[in-house]
Amino acid sequence: MYDYPLDYTWTTEEIINVISLYTAVEKAYEEGISKEEFMNCYRSYTNIVDSKSQQKQLDKEFKKVSGYSIYEVLQKAKENDWIKM
């Protein structure tokens, strides 16, 4: 188990949406996820984390604690309707 990288200035709803993306990334690695489900989570995430540099930083922190990459799942989503890492 690990701690998700979060910004505690976010509202509860924003934290829930960011955690939903982290969960979707985990699902892509562990069992697979549809492109539609992942992209819905990703769009909500980018509405909260709209800075590319902050997105990269959170991806780096998430990968450090989980071994999973948001960016790599996003790249796979561009090519496939089903994402299994």
Side-chain angles (χ1 to χ4, degrees):
M1 205 64 204
Y2 46 85
D3 293 325
Y4 292 122
L6 300 170
D7 180 338
Y8 291 99
T9 64
W10 293 333
T11 66
T12 301
E13 183 179 345
E14 289 171 333
I15 289 172
I16 289 168
N17 286 334
V18 171
I19 289 174
S20 292
L21 175 70
Y22 294 151
T23 303
V25 171
E26 292 169 347
K27 191 173 178 182
Y29 276 87
E30 294 169 5
E31 59 193 70
I33 188 171
S34 72
K35 175 181 183 172
E36 181 180 0
E37 182 180 352
F38 174 77
M39 291 307 296
N40 286 338
C41 294
Y42 185 76
R43 278 189 286 277
S44 294
Y45 166 78
T46 57
N47 288 333
I48 298 159
V49 184
D50 56 356
S51 157
K52 288 288 184 191
S53 62
Q54 187 180 14
Q55 290 173 14
K56 287 179 182 179
Q57 183 61 37
L58 288 172
D59 186 27
K60 181 179 177 182
E61 291 173 24
F62 182 65
K63 188 169 185 173
K64 183 177 179 182
V65 297
S66 70
Y68 301 152
S69 169
I70 298 166
Y71 176 77
E72 290 174 11
V73 175
L74 179 62
Q75 293 308 302
K76 189 106 172 188
K78 290 178 180 179
E79 305 165 1
N80 301 288
D81 289 333
W82 182 256
I83 307 160
K84 176 71 172 112
M85 301 301 288

